[in-house]
mmCIF file of all heavy atoms in Angstrom:
data_model
loop_
_atom_site.group_PDB
_atom_site.id
_atom_site.type_symbol
_atom_site.label_atom_id
_atom_site.label_comp_id
_atom_site.label_asym_id
_atom_site.label_seq_id
_atom_site.Cartn_x
_atom_site.Cartn_y
_atom_site.Cartn_z
ATOM 1 N N TYR A 1 48.052 -207.963 51.105
ATOM 2 C CA TYR A 1 47.154 -208.404 52.156
ATOM 3 C C TYR A 1 45.691 -208.039 51.713
ATOM 4 O O TYR A 1 44.783 -208.913 51.870
ATOM 5 C CB TYR A 1 47.529 -207.723 53.331
ATOM 6 C CG TYR A 1 46.554 -208.182 54.537
ATOM 7 C CD1 TYR A 1 46.713 -209.456 54.975
ATOM 8 C CD2 TYR A 1 45.670 -207.218 54.990
ATOM 9 C CE1 TYR A 1 45.806 -209.874 56.067
ATOM 10 C CE2 TYR A 1 44.749 -207.676 55.990
ATOM 11 C CZ TYR A 1 44.813 -209.002 56.432
ATOM 12 O OH TYR A 1 43.958 -209.324 57.514
ATOM 13 N N VAL A 2 45.432 -206.926 51.306
ATOM 14 C CA VAL A 2 44.132 -206.534 50.880
ATOM 15 C C VAL A 2 43.536 -207.429 49.923
ATOM 16 O O VAL A 2 42.399 -207.914 49.832
ATOM 17 C CB VAL A 2 44.013 -205.061 50.547
ATOM 18 C CG1 VAL A 2 42.672 -204.721 49.784
ATOM 19 C CG2 VAL A 2 44.307 -204.170 51.679
ATOM 20 N N GLN A 3 44.420 -207.719 48.795
ATOM 21 C CA GLN A 3 43.888 -208.639 47.684
ATOM 22 C C GLN A 3 43.615 -210.024 48.197
ATOM 23 O O GLN A 3 42.684 -210.522 47.782
ATOM 24 C CB GLN A 3 45.059 -208.579 46.661
ATOM 25 C CG GLN A 3 44.628 -209.352 45.362
ATOM 26 C CD GLN A 3 43.331 -208.684 44.741
ATOM 27 O OE1 GLN A 3 43.360 -207.468 44.481
ATOM 28 N NE2 GLN A 3 42.353 -209.395 44.437
ATOM 29 N N HIS A 4 44.347 -210.520 49.119
ATOM 30 C CA HIS A 4 44.108 -211.852 49.749
ATOM 31 C C HIS A 4 42.770 -211.929 50.418
ATOM 32 O O HIS A 4 41.906 -212.773 50.059
ATOM 33 C CB HIS A 4 45.243 -212.389 50.575
ATOM 34 C CG HIS A 4 45.007 -213.534 51.400
ATOM 35 N ND1 HIS A 4 45.017 -214.739 50.774
ATOM 36 C CD2 HIS A 4 44.571 -213.695 52.673
ATOM 37 C CE1 HIS A 4 44.617 -215.689 51.566
ATOM 38 N NE2 HIS A 4 44.380 -215.074 52.813
ATOM 39 N N VAL A 5 42.517 -210.881 51.231
ATOM 40 C CA VAL A 5 41.273 -210.858 51.861
ATOM 41 C C VAL A 5 40.105 -210.674 50.847
ATOM 42 O O VAL A 5 39.017 -211.346 50.954
ATOM 43 C CB VAL A 5 41.236 -209.705 53.000
ATOM 44 C CG1 VAL A 5 39.769 -209.584 53.615
ATOM 45 C CG2 VAL A 5 42.347 -210.001 54.028
ATOM 46 N N ALA A 6 40.320 -209.784 49.951
ATOM 47 C CA ALA A 6 39.238 -209.490 48.964
ATOM 48 C C ALA A 6 38.945 -210.812 48.050
ATOM 49 O O ALA A 6 37.676 -210.972 47.829
ATOM 50 C CB ALA A 6 39.624 -208.304 47.964
ATOM 51 N N ASP A 7 40.006 -211.582 47.802
ATOM 52 C CA ASP A 7 39.587 -212.792 47.080
ATOM 53 C C ASP A 7 38.871 -213.634 47.755
ATOM 54 O O ASP A 7 38.021 -214.516 47.201
ATOM 55 C CB ASP A 7 41.126 -213.437 46.588
ATOM 56 C CG ASP A 7 41.870 -212.556 45.624
ATOM 57 O OD1 ASP A 7 41.222 -211.808 44.933
ATOM 58 O OD2 ASP A 7 42.980 -213.001 45.455
ATOM 59 N N GLU A 8 38.968 -213.821 49.090
ATOM 60 C CA GLU A 8 38.200 -214.702 49.900
ATOM 61 C C GLU A 8 36.825 -214.177 50.096
ATOM 62 O O GLU A 8 35.899 -214.958 50.505
ATOM 63 C CB GLU A 8 39.072 -214.984 51.237
ATOM 64 C CG GLU A 8 40.280 -215.655 51.233
ATOM 65 C CD GLU A 8 40.245 -216.930 50.871
ATOM 66 O OE1 GLU A 8 39.168 -217.679 51.123
ATOM 67 O OE2 GLU A 8 41.179 -217.620 50.244
ATOM 68 N N LEU A 9 36.630 -213.001 50.013
ATOM 69 C CA LEU A 9 35.382 -212.219 50.270
ATOM 70 C C LEU A 9 34.675 -211.630 48.996
ATOM 71 O O LEU A 9 34.251 -210.495 49.103
ATOM 72 C CB LEU A 9 35.543 -211.394 51.501
ATOM 73 C CG LEU A 9 36.041 -211.759 52.848
ATOM 74 C CD1 LEU A 9 36.292 -210.572 53.754
ATOM 75 C CD2 LEU A 9 34.936 -212.819 53.388
ATOM 76 N N GLN A 10 34.764 -212.410 47.959
ATOM 77 C CA GLN A 10 34.305 -211.762 46.704
ATOM 78 C C GLN A 10 32.916 -211.468 46.832
ATOM 79 O O GLN A 10 32.041 -212.226 47.346
ATOM 80 C CB GLN A 10 34.589 -212.699 45.552
ATOM 81 C CG GLN A 10 35.965 -213.028 45.120
ATOM 82 C CD GLN A 10 36.201 -213.978 43.993
ATOM 83 O OE1 GLN A 10 35.266 -214.248 43.332
ATOM 84 N NE2 GLN A 10 37.436 -214.543 43.858
ATOM 85 N N GLY A 11 32.484 -210.207 46.267
ATOM 86 C CA GLY A 11 31.156 -209.827 46.327
ATOM 87 C C GLY A 11 30.837 -209.051 47.418
ATOM 88 O O GLY A 11 29.706 -208.630 47.683
ATOM 89 N N VAL A 12 31.614 -209.061 48.513
ATOM 90 C CA VAL A 12 31.400 -208.442 49.878
ATOM 91 C C VAL A 12 32.103 -207.014 49.829
ATOM 92 O O VAL A 12 33.148 -206.787 49.432
ATOM 93 C CB VAL A 12 31.984 -209.271 51.014
ATOM 94 C CG1 VAL A 12 31.723 -208.521 52.313
ATOM 95 C CG2 VAL A 12 31.266 -210.611 51.103
ATOM 96 N N ARG A 13 31.347 -206.022 50.313
ATOM 97 C CA ARG A 13 31.877 -204.611 50.373
ATOM 98 C C ARG A 13 32.865 -204.636 51.569
ATOM 99 O O ARG A 13 32.598 -204.918 52.734
ATOM 100 C CB ARG A 13 30.717 -203.680 50.747
ATOM 101 C CG ARG A 13 31.177 -202.292 50.619
ATOM 102 C CD ARG A 13 30.091 -201.098 50.976
ATOM 103 N NE ARG A 13 30.670 -199.812 50.624
ATOM 104 C CZ ARG A 13 30.088 -198.867 51.206
ATOM 105 N NH1 ARG A 13 29.005 -198.800 51.967
ATOM 106 N NH2 ARG A 13 30.674 -197.558 50.926
ATOM 107 N N LEU A 14 34.112 -204.484 51.201
ATOM 108 C CA LEU A 14 35.248 -204.633 52.063
ATOM 109 C C LEU A 14 35.897 -203.091 52.135
ATOM 110 O O LEU A 14 36.155 -202.498 51.284
ATOM 111 C CB LEU A 14 36.368 -205.459 51.609
ATOM 112 C CG LEU A 14 37.650 -205.649 52.282
ATOM 113 C CD1 LEU A 14 37.347 -206.143 53.760
ATOM 114 C CD2 LEU A 14 38.569 -206.578 51.592
ATOM 115 N N MET A 15 35.889 -202.634 53.471
ATOM 116 C CA MET A 15 36.412 -201.197 53.780
ATOM 117 C C MET A 15 37.484 -201.336 54.904
ATOM 118 O O MET A 15 37.352 -202.217 55.814
ATOM 119 C CB MET A 15 35.205 -200.378 54.147
ATOM 120 C CG MET A 15 34.255 -200.011 53.123
ATOM 121 S SD MET A 15 32.925 -199.154 53.649
ATOM 122 C CE MET A 15 31.887 -200.399 54.502
ATOM 123 N N PHE A 16 38.348 -200.437 54.724
ATOM 124 C CA PHE A 16 39.429 -200.376 55.746
ATOM 125 C C PHE A 16 39.592 -199.054 56.342
ATOM 126 O O PHE A 16 39.268 -197.963 55.772
ATOM 127 C CB PHE A 16 40.817 -200.611 55.002
ATOM 128 C CG PHE A 16 41.033 -202.189 54.670
ATOM 129 C CD1 PHE A 16 40.566 -202.501 53.525
ATOM 130 C CD2 PHE A 16 41.700 -202.968 55.515
ATOM 131 C CE1 PHE A 16 40.799 -203.985 53.079
ATOM 132 C CE2 PHE A 16 41.875 -204.246 55.193
ATOM 133 C CZ PHE A 16 41.475 -204.774 53.915
ATOM 134 N N MET A 17 39.867 -199.094 57.738
ATOM 135 C CA MET A 17 40.068 -197.903 58.509
ATOM 136 C C MET A 17 41.463 -197.175 58.108
ATOM 137 O O MET A 17 42.336 -197.901 58.005
ATOM 138 C CB MET A 17 40.242 -198.168 59.965
ATOM 139 C CG MET A 17 40.447 -197.096 60.897
ATOM 140 S SD MET A 17 39.116 -195.850 61.048
ATOM 141 C CE MET A 17 37.861 -196.760 61.976
ATOM 142 N N GLN A 18 41.348 -195.860 57.753
ATOM 143 C CA GLN A 18 42.449 -195.086 57.460
ATOM 144 C C GLN A 18 43.068 -194.383 58.720
ATOM 145 O O GLN A 18 42.379 -194.342 59.785
ATOM 146 C CB GLN A 18 42.149 -194.052 56.451
ATOM 147 C CG GLN A 18 41.640 -194.637 55.117
ATOM 148 C CD GLN A 18 41.303 -193.510 54.092
ATOM 149 O OE1 GLN A 18 42.005 -193.312 53.230
ATOM 150 N NE2 GLN A 18 40.134 -192.944 54.279
ATOM 151 N N SER A 19 44.289 -193.837 58.496
ATOM 152 C CA SER A 19 44.900 -193.169 59.613
ATOM 153 C C SER A 19 44.137 -192.104 60.121
ATOM 154 O O SER A 19 44.364 -191.516 61.313
ATOM 155 C CB SER A 19 46.338 -192.730 59.271
ATOM 156 O OG SER A 19 47.153 -193.832 58.825
ATOM 157 N N ASN A 20 43.238 -191.460 59.255
ATOM 158 C CA ASN A 20 42.484 -190.193 59.661
ATOM 159 C C ASN A 20 41.281 -190.505 60.385
ATOM 160 O O ASN A 20 40.441 -189.637 60.821
ATOM 161 C CB ASN A 20 42.251 -189.275 58.521
ATOM 162 C CG ASN A 20 41.445 -190.137 57.417
ATOM 163 O OD1 ASN A 20 40.862 -191.134 57.679
ATOM 164 N ND2 ASN A 20 41.377 -189.501 56.171
ATOM 165 N N GLY A 21 41.010 -191.934 60.613
ATOM 166 C CA GLY A 21 39.780 -192.231 61.345
ATOM 167 C C GLY A 21 38.507 -192.457 60.452
ATOM 168 O O GLY A 21 37.436 -192.868 60.886
ATOM 169 N N GLY A 22 38.702 -192.268 59.106
ATOM 170 C CA GLY A 22 37.718 -192.558 58.144
ATOM 171 C C GLY A 22 37.787 -193.918 57.461
ATOM 172 O O GLY A 22 38.948 -194.605 57.594
ATOM 173 N N LEU A 23 36.832 -194.425 56.712
ATOM 174 C CA LEU A 23 36.911 -195.670 55.951
ATOM 175 C C LEU A 23 37.216 -195.414 54.447
ATOM 176 O O LEU A 23 36.795 -194.350 53.981
ATOM 177 C CB LEU A 23 35.607 -196.386 56.187
ATOM 178 C CG LEU A 23 35.304 -197.020 57.549
ATOM 179 C CD1 LEU A 23 33.894 -197.417 57.632
ATOM 180 C CD2 LEU A 23 36.096 -198.122 57.785
ATOM 181 N N ALA A 24 38.009 -196.381 53.967
ATOM 182 C CA ALA A 24 38.244 -196.386 52.505
ATOM 183 C C ALA A 24 37.793 -197.650 51.941
ATOM 184 O O ALA A 24 38.060 -198.749 52.517
ATOM 185 C CB ALA A 24 39.716 -196.118 52.222
ATOM 186 N N GLU A 25 37.355 -197.747 50.683
ATOM 187 C CA GLU A 25 37.169 -198.960 50.004
ATOM 188 C C GLU A 25 38.478 -199.774 49.700
ATOM 189 O O GLU A 25 39.457 -199.059 49.701
ATOM 190 C CB GLU A 25 36.428 -198.756 48.659
ATOM 191 C CG GLU A 25 35.064 -198.059 48.747
ATOM 192 C CD GLU A 25 33.941 -199.039 49.198
ATOM 193 O OE1 GLU A 25 34.187 -200.231 49.207
ATOM 194 O OE2 GLU A 25 32.783 -198.507 49.399
ATOM 195 N N ALA A 26 38.337 -200.980 49.716
ATOM 196 C CA ALA A 26 39.677 -201.774 49.600
ATOM 197 C C ALA A 26 40.626 -201.463 48.423
ATOM 198 O O ALA A 26 41.701 -201.264 48.603
ATOM 199 C CB ALA A 26 39.254 -203.234 49.443
#
């Protein structure tokens, strides 16, 4: 899933919310 979104948004900083409430790079 992450790869699909990253492919569509190339060059964009993509971050995801983690279970601990912080963000992680894709």
Side-chain angles (χ1 to χ4, degrees):
Y1 180 71
V2 170
Q3 189 59 51
H4 172 75
V5 176
D7 288 344
E8 295 290 331
L9 300 171
Q10 290 183 14
V12 175
R13 189 181 187 196
L14 179 61
M15 292 174 283
F16 285 85
M17 176 68 72
Q18 299 181 100
S19 300
N20 60 15
L23 290 166
E25 297 286 347

